[in-house]
Amino acid sequence: MSTSTGPRSSAKTPADDATAAPTQSAAAAAQRPRKIIAKYGGQQGEQNNRILSAESSFSDVTALNGQAPIPDMLITGQEAAASGAAEPTPQAVLPTAAGETGAESSLSINSSRQTTKSTLYEQMRKECERIEENLLRARREVYLQADVAFLMQRSDTELSNLQIAQAKEIKEKIESFEKNMKGRSERKETKKFQRSTMRRTKYRDMLILKQQTISKAATAIRLTVVEQREAFDILMVHVKAIHEQQRIDEASAHERKLDFEKAINNLEIDSQPDEVRDNLAKQFQVRQTHQAVLNKRINEHLREVQMVEVRHIKEKFDFERNCAEEAGNLKVLHAARIAEQIEAHVLEMNNEKERLQAEHEAKKQVLITHLHQVEVKRLQHAHRLALRNMKSEQEQRLAAFKHQRLSGNGLGTGAGSISSKLTSKMASRQESNADIDDASSDRSSQVSASPSRIAAGINGITPASSTFGGTRRSGNGSHTPTGSHISEDDDIRSTHSDDSRTHRVNAIASLVANQRQEKTNLMATLKAEMTELEQSHSAQMGEMDEEQRLELEKLVMEQREELELLRALQEKEMLVEQSVHEAEMVTMVERRVLNSVFASVNDGIINTTSDGTITRFNPAAVEIFGYTAAEAIGQNVSILMPDDIAKDHNRFILSYMNTGIKKVVGKSRRLEGKCKNGEIFPMQLSLSEVKEQDEHLFTAVARDLTKKVQLENEIREKEELEQRELQKLIGELDVTKAKTEDLLSQMLPRSVANQLMDGKQVTPQTFDNATVFFLDVVGFTTMCASMHPTETVSLLDAIYNTFDEVIQKYDAYKVETIGDSYLIVSGIPTPNGDRHASEIATLALEIMSKVHLFQFERNPSLKLRVRIGLNTGPVVAGVVGTKMPRYCLFGDTVNTGSRMESTSQPMRIQISESTHAMLKAAGGFQIVDRGEIEVKAKCWCVCGAAAQGKGKMRTYFLNGKENFPYELPPQ
């Protein structure tokens, strides 16, 4: 095409009018796409501009109606537009330039119009067709862009709606999960509270049962104690009845024995003389008395044995009752311990179940939460796939729509395609949402079914069906299988359920085994305790039986020994009494002989008391003194003598009684007598003494010398013979009396006296340990020199009487008193263990107290002072002599004790080391160490042997004793 242009004519032709209407219609038609572009434009602005430029160029060309030449530039742009160029040319978008150049080229156009008119119109027609085609193409493109924009907006809306629905779905799922979990927690708490309530109820019932069991056991124990008490009362009544019958039988036996002995004794003494009968009656009375004493003691022994038996029965009953109570209490304690263990086991089992349940529940919650999270993730993944598929579908749909519009031939086709595409898209989206809803429904049903699966898992049952079966639609409408995921979840739950069930079963089985072992151990322990208690009770019962048997045997043995000792003592007493009776018989015979002698002798025989009262006056005395026996008896002997002779006689007797110095006693002297008529006559008076029951009896033999003076020489021999005979009789009587009294009152130990009375020889005896006591009055010789002899005797008598009273309080024996020396021993002749030292020490303290407070009645200003010595060790004791036997001590212990006294200080008690050791062991004595002193040789007179010096010896002073009740002299 030529690019040259000619001037165009400015005159209007009918052709121009003819073309005006189509041009206006074309302009009006061009406004419709502009409105559409303005409504749906935005992103396709550049393409809309190209469409508007093309429509403007087409309107300009139509308006020219052939009056102006068409520039080549325009033609070139139109051709480019007709060819579908992507970018518009500058010629196509500048129609005003043609307008500006139209005047200049109008001349050339007019000149060449004729030549080129036909070609130009043809070209214009073609150009118009091209423009129309381009315009239609541009309009289709505008419609396409509008549809694309509409589709894109709809796609964005669909995506937004889908995201909102997905978010809502996830939110609903989460809220549903939280609601289910909250409901599950509430149900679990409710069940836990129910289980706790049930367990508390069971625990309360268990406590009530335990209290009832303990109460029943206590009631059983009380009933047992009551039954035992009733049985014991019955037994005591039976035993008391038996004991009473035994005492009655024993008393009857004693009475029968006394009766037949009395009958036999009566038969025995009937044929005896009177004197013998009286003696035998006295002997029988003594035997009866002894037998009564023995029977009384036997009855006392029987009562003692019965009391011991009753006490043994009571002790055994008390012990059995205590054993029963102890066993019952132990059983109650065992029952309580078993109940406590059962309670602890139940509590432990409940706690273990709760722990396993809590652990299982925690694991289940973790599993449910994990499955929920997995499900949410899967749902989110499905949502993302749905969004991705929707975007892919939208892109495919848009590309297909563009392709269809570009290849189609009309607007109707495009609208239908859009409608069909939208319909297809909505259907696809609905299917996708349906798939998502199905999946959500599946997951919701799975979550909602989880509590049942958990319960089934707890009970060991796994659901056979799964809510994850079937298929799932994909975002593009296809179906994808989800069975693998469902199978994995089921496997997880099944494995968890099996493991949890196995774990719980193992834990419960282990706990049950431990509890069973604990119960076995407890039962074994309780059985061992009960066995040990029963063995202990059996052993204690055996020990009690043995102790009671030994006690009873010991009591019976002691009673038997006591009875034997009593019988022996009674036999000795009977022997002594028999000897006394024999002596009395002898004395009676001798008295008869003496009376006959008294009646036949020519000498007057007068018996008087110590105060001179006449108790017997023989016929010769009646003849000599002229008094009858009735007149003389009861009078003082001074009536038979002149006054001066009577005074001297009384003074001599009183001096003898006070001092023991014999001036007239035991002597015969010549003096003057006095008759009843007052006549004085010479007489021979002999005075003798006889002691009877601590009474001094004097016998005076008076012979009238008046008629015999002249015959004195003749009859002296005869009188001397008679006097000797009389003295012999009196002497024999005195000897017999002295022997009898010596057997009864000799100051000898009981064992020694018994041996002597039995006529046995007393052998010396060695004592391993005894304590001797020596006492000496300080300055006694000086005191005696300043005193009258009788006063000296009275002083010694007062001192020894005081000492004798003290000795009676202690286990001690007075051995000897020589002048002012005093010997006491403890532990001899009867051993007293280790008490002899403390006995002698306490006795010495009391004697020292008595000496400190001693006052002599005849000389109150006299202050008595003594030295005391104590020693402990082995001693040999024995009887020396037979006529006047003396119980003497021998050995170095006695010598050392004497030296303890001689080396002591006035008013002090000196003790040796051996005595100090024993007093220290006894305790309570106040002792001061004196130190070592020189002990020279000295032998006490009781042993009569020489002793060697001791040299240095450590001695001590005994100053007092704790809680001593008497006042001691200051040290």
Side-chain angles (χ1 to χ4, degrees):
M1 179 179 296
S2 176
T3 60
S4 63
T5 60
R8 298 183 63 180
S9 176
S10 60
K12 292 181 65 176
T13 61
D16 295 331
D17 295 333
T19 60
T23 303
Q24 293 178 355
S25 61
Q31 295 298 325
R32 290 193 295 270
R34 287 197 182 114
K35 294 180 181 180
I36 295 173
I37 292 172
K39 183 176 181 181
Y40 298 103
Q43 296 180 358
Q44 304 294 330
E46 186 177 357
Q47 296 179 359
N48 294 335
N49 289 331
R50 288 198 298 271
I51 296 171
L52 292 176
S53 298
E55 289 180 348
S56 177
S57 298
F58 179 76
S59 299
D60 290 341
V61 173
T62 307
L64 288 175
N65 195 14
Q67 293 181 1
I70 299 174
D72 295 335
M73 179 179 59
L74 182 59
I75 295 171
T76 305
Q78 292 174 351
E79 292 177 354
S83 62
E87 294 293 334
T89 61
Q91 294 81 1
V93 295
L94 294 174
T96 58
E100 290 178 356
T101 59
E104 296 178 356
S105 61
S106 60
L107 293 177
S108 59
I109 293 173
N110 289 328
S111 62
S112 60
R113 169 180 276 182
Q114 292 300 328
T115 56
T116 59
K117 186 176 181 180
S118 57
T119 306
L120 180 61
Y121 283 119
E122 186 66 25
Q123 291 179 352
M124 288 179 66
R125 289 187 186 93
K126 293 181 179 180
E127 189 67 23
C128 288
E129 290 177 0
R130 293 192 191 97
I131 290 173
E132 186 66 24
E133 291 177 0
N134 289 334
L135 182 58
L136 294 174
R137 189 179 295 113
R139 286 179 178 177
R140 286 195 297 269
E141 186 176 355
V142 170
Y143 291 147
L144 177 62
Q145 293 297 330
D147 292 338
V148 169
F150 175 75
L151 292 176
M152 292 178 68
Q153 184 179 6
R154 290 295 302 274
S155 298
D156 293 337
T157 302
E158 291 175 357
L159 290 175
S160 177
N161 294 334
L162 181 59
Q163 291 176 352
I164 292 172
Q166 291 177 349
K168 183 178 180 181
E169 182 181 2
I170 292 174
K171 182 178 179 181
E172 291 176 354
K173 181 175 287 294
I174 293 173
E175 291 177 352
S176 176
F177 172 76
E178 292 177 351
K179 183 178 180 181
N180 291 333
M181 292 302 292
K182 183 178 180 181
R184 176 185 179 85
S185 299
E186 292 177 353
R187 291 192 301 274
K188 293 301 180 181
E189 289 297 329
T190 303
K191 291 182 179 179
K192 184 176 180 181
F193 177 75
Q194 291 176 354
R195 290 195 301 272
S196 177
T197 303
M198 182 62 68
R199 288 167 183 168
R200 285 197 298 269
T201 303
K202 291 182 178 179
Y203 179 72
R204 185 173 62 253
D205 295 340
M206 188 181 300
L207 288 179
I208 294 172
L209 182 61
K210 176 182 175 182
Q211 293 175 357
Q212 291 178 353
T213 303
I214 294 174
S215 177
K216 290 180 181 178
T219 304
I221 293 174
R222 288 195 297 270
L223 291 177
T224 303
V225 171
V226 171
E227 292 176 357
Q228 291 179 351
R229 171 60 67 179
E230 292 176 355
F232 172 73
D233 294 338
I234 295 172
L235 178 61
M236 290 303 299
V237 171
H238 176 68
V239 170
K240 288 181 180 178
I242 292 176
H243 288 174
E244 185 66 25
Q245 187 64 37
Q246 289 178 352
R247 290 193 294 269
I248 293 173
D249 295 342
E250 189 71 22
S252 301
H254 293 165
E255 291 178 357
R256 289 194 302 271
K257 185 176 181 181
L258 291 176
D259 291 339
F260 73 72
E261 285 184 355
K262 184 176 181 180
I264 294 173
N265 183 71
N266 292 332
L267 293 174
E268 184 180 358
I269 65 176
D270 284 343
S271 61
Q272 299 293 334
D274 294 338
E275 296 178 355
V276 177
R277 186 184 299 114
D278 295 337
N279 189 16
L280 292 177
K282 291 181 180 179
Q283 292 179 0
F284 175 74
Q285 187 65 32
V286 171
R287 288 198 303 272
Q288 290 289 83
T289 303
H290 289 172
Q291 187 63 37
V293 173
L294 186 63
N295 293 339
K296 181 179 179 181
R297 193 57 187 161
I298 291 173
N299 292 332
E300 292 177 354
H301 287 175
L302 179 60
R303 288 183 180 273
E304 290 178 0
V305 172
Q306 290 175 351
M307 291 174 63
V308 170
E309 289 178 354
V310 171
R311 180 168 57 82
H312 287 175
I313 293 173
K314 290 182 178 179
E315 289 178 355
K316 186 173 293 185
F317 167 73
D318 293 337
F319 178 75
E320 291 176 352
R321 182 186 62 187
N322 294 333
C323 290
E325 291 180 354
E326 187 175 357
N329 294 332
L330 184 61
K331 290 180 180 179
V332 171
L333 180 61
H334 287 178
R337 290 176 62 182
I338 292 172
E340 289 176 359
Q341 189 188 54
I342 293 173
E343 178 183 342
H345 285 175
V346 171
L347 182 60
E348 184 181 8
M349 180 64 71
N350 294 333
N351 293 335
E352 183 66 16
K353 288 181 179 180
E354 287 295 332
R355 186 187 67 79
L356 294 174
Q357 187 70 21
E359 181 180 352
H360 175 71
E361 182 63 23
K363 292 181 179 180
K364 195 66 178 179
Q365 288 182 357
V366 171
L367 177 61
I368 293 172
T369 304
H370 174 69
L371 293 176
H372 171 69
Q373 292 174 355
V374 170
E375 194 64 28
V376 170
K377 288 181 180 180
R378 290 178 181 175
L379 185 59
Q380 291 175 352
H381 178 67
H383 288 172
R384 288 194 295 271
L385 290 178
L387 289 174
R388 191 179 299 114
N389 293 333
M390 181 174 284
K391 289 179 181 180
S392 177
E393 290 177 356
Q394 290 175 354
E395 291 176 357
Q396 293 177 3
R397 186 171 63 245
L398 184 59
F401 178 73
K402 288 182 179 181
H403 177 71
Q404 183 179 5
R405 291 297 299 270
L406 291 176
S407 61
N409 294 320
L411 292 175
T413 306
S417 177
I418 291 173
S419 178
S420 63
K421 292 295 184 181
L422 289 176
T423 303
S424 175
K425 179 180 178 182
M426 291 299 293
S428 176
R429 180 173 295 176
Q430 290 177 358
E431 292 178 357
S432 178
N433 290 336
D435 294 337
I436 293 171
D437 293 338
D438 293 339
S440 176
S441 177
D442 294 339
R443 298 303 180 187
S444 298
S445 63
Q446 176 188 355
V447 172
S448 63
S450 296
S452 63
R453 289 196 187 92
I454 294 171
I458 293 174
N459 296 325
I461 301 172
T462 303
S465 61
S466 174
T467 59
F468 291 94
T471 59
R472 181 182 300 276
R473 294 178 181 271
S474 62
N476 55 5
S478 61
H479 292 78
T480 58
T482 59
S484 61
H485 299 290
I486 295 171
S487 177
E488 292 176 359
D489 294 341
D490 290 341
D491 292 341
I492 291 172
R493 283 192 297 273
S494 177
T495 302
H496 174 268
S497 177
D498 294 339
D499 294 341
S500 177
R501 183 174 64 255
T502 303
H503 173 69
R504 291 197 303 274
V505 169
N506 293 335
I508 295 298
S510 177
L511 181 60
V512 169
N514 293 335
Q515 290 181 354
R516 185 179 295 109
Q517 184 63 33
E518 290 178 359
K519 183 177 181 181
T520 303
N521 296 336
L522 178 60
M523 295 303 293
T525 303
L526 298 182
K527 184 177 180 181
E529 290 180 358
M530 183 59 70
T531 303
E532 182 180 359
L533 180 62
E534 291 176 354
Q535 292 177 355
S536 176
H537 289 171
S538 299
Q540 293 177 5
M541 180 63 74
E543 293 176 359
M544 179 179 290
D545 292 339
E546 184 66 20
E547 291 176 358
Q548 291 179 353
R549 185 184 64 79
L550 293 177
E551 182 182 1
L552 195 58
E553 290 180 354
K554 182 179 178 181
L555 179 61
V556 172
M557 186 64 67
E558 291 176 353
Q559 291 177 352
R560 188 177 301 163
E561 292 177 355
E562 183 179 356
L563 291 177
E564 292 178 356
L565 182 62
L566 182 59
R567 289 190 181 96
L569 182 61
Q570 289 178 352
E571 290 177 359
K572 291 180 181 179
E573 290 179 356
M574 291 177 66
L575 291 176
V576 172
E577 290 178 357
Q578 185 176 359
S579 64
V580 171
H581 288 315
E582 292 176 356
E584 289 179 351
M585 291 295 294
V586 172
T587 303
M588 186 179 297
V589 173
E590 291 177 351
R591 185 173 296 173
R592 289 176 181 176
V593 173
L594 183 60
N595 289 332
S596 64
V597 171
F598 284 169
S600 61
V601 296
N602 294 322
D603 295 332
I605 299 175
I606 304 165
N607 291 337
T608 64
T609 61
S610 59
D611 58 355
T613 302
I614 298 173
T615 59
R616 180 176 293 181
F617 207 73
N618 73 335
V622 172
E623 184 179 355
I624 293 172
F625 292 101
Y627 293 98
T628 63
E631 293 174 346
I633 294 174
Q635 299 294 326
N636 193 279
V637 74
S638 60
I639 65 173
L640 304 179
M641 292 177 289
D643 294 338
D644 53 347
I645 297 174
K647 291 180 180 178
D648 291 338
H649 178 80
N650 292 333
R651 182 170 55 81
F652 291 150
I653 295 298
L654 181 62
S655 176
Y656 170 73
M657 295 295 295
N658 292 331
T659 63
I661 299 174
K662 296 180 180 181
K663 291 185 179 181
V664 294
V665 177
K667 296 181 181 181
S668 178
R669 58 182 178 137
R670 283 190 178 187
L671 49 82
E672 292 180 348
K674 183 179 178 181
C675 294
K676 179 179 179 182
N677 57 9
E679 183 180 356
I680 303 300
F681 64 93
M683 68 174 180
Q684 182 80 26
L685 182 62
S686 299
L687 186 62
S688 62
E689 178 193 13
V690 176
K691 291 182 180 180
E692 184 177 356
Q693 297 180 355
D694 295 335
E695 289 288 336
H696 291 271
L697 300 178
F698 297 96
T699 301
V701 178
R703 180 175 298 173
D704 187 7
L705 300 180
T706 303
K707 296 180 180 181
K708 297 181 181 180
V709 171
Q710 66 276 14
L711 299 177
E712 183 177 3
N713 294 329
E714 297 177 0
I715 63 175
R716 180 180 296 121
E717 293 181 1
K718 184 179 178 179
E719 289 180 355
E720 290 177 356
L721 179 61
E722 292 177 355
Q723 187 68 24
R724 284 194 297 272
E725 290 177 356
L726 181 61
Q727 291 293 335
K728 182 178 179 182
L729 292 174
I730 294 173
E732 291 177 356
L733 180 61
D734 290 341
V735 169
T736 304
K737 190 71 174 179
K739 286 182 179 180
T740 304
E741 292 176 353
D742 286 341
L743 290 174
L744 298 175
S745 61
Q746 184 67 37
M747 299 299 293
L748 290 174
R750 180 177 295 274
S751 59
V752 176
N754 292 335
Q755 293 181 14
L756 291 176
M757 284 188 292
D758 292 341
K760 299 179 182 178
Q761 184 179 2
V762 180
T763 58
Q765 187 176 2
T766 301
F767 298 90
D768 295 334
N769 211 358
T771 301
V772 295
F773 168 100
F774 281 89
L775 179 145
D776 185 69
V777 179
V778 179
F780 181 74
T781 304
T782 305
M783 285 191 294
C784 289
S786 62
M787 291 182 183
H788 191 274
T790 59
E791 190 175 359
T792 303
V793 173
S794 298
L795 175 62
L796 288 175
D797 184 64
I799 293 172
Y800 290 157
N801 288 335
T802 302
F803 292 171
D804 292 342
E805 292 177 357
V806 175
I807 292 173
Q808 293 177 0
K809 301 179 182 179
Y810 299 93
D811 186 7
Y813 174 68
K814 182 178 75 172
V815 179
E816 190 73 32
T817 56
I818 302 296
D820 60 339
S821 297
Y822 209 84
L823 173 59
I824 305 173
V825 65
S826 179
I828 296 175
T830 303
N832 55 4
D834 295 334
R835 293 191 300 108
H836 50 82
S838 59
E839 290 286 328
I840 287 293
T842 309
L843 183 146
L845 290 173
E846 187 170 351
I847 287 179
M848 188 64 72
S849 175
K850 297 292 184 182
V851 171
H852 174 62
L853 302 176
F854 178 78
Q855 287 186 350
F856 187 40
E857 294 180 356
R858 295 188 178 185
N859 188 3
S861 63
L862 178 63
K863 297 297 182 182
L864 188 65
R865 304 172 69 197
V866 298
R867 291 189 302 268
I868 298 176
L870 307 182
N871 185 32
T872 302
V875 177
V876 177
V879 177
V880 177
T882 56
K883 189 157 188 168
M884 289 292 291
R886 297 173 59 194
Y887 192 71
C888 299
L889 307 179
F890 304 91
D892 186 65
T893 300
V894 181
N895 300 331
T896 304
S898 176
R899 286 191 286 273
M900 290 294 103
E901 175 271 319
S902 62
T903 58
S904 180
Q905 296 178 0
M907 298 303 290
R908 300 298 293 270
I909 303 172
Q910 183 173 230
I911 63 176
S912 62
E913 281 191 306
S914 58
T915 306
H916 170 263
M918 296 198 71
L919 294 181
K920 185 176 180 181
F925 291 92
Q926 299 172 2
I927 303 172
V928 178
D929 187 2
R930 184 182 183 184
E932 293 184 349
I933 62 173
E934 182 71 25
V935 179
K936 297 181 180 180
K938 182 180 178 182
C939 181
W940 190 66
C941 60
V942 73
C943 64
Q948 298 179 357
K950 289 291 183 178
K952 295 288 183 179
M953 290 185 64
R954 178 174 293 278
T955 62
Y956 303 84
F957 282 133
L958 175 62
N959 291 339
K961 182 180 179 182
E962 294 180 359
N963 302 322
F964 189 67
Y966 304 105
E967 180 183 355
L968 293 173
Q971 300 297 326

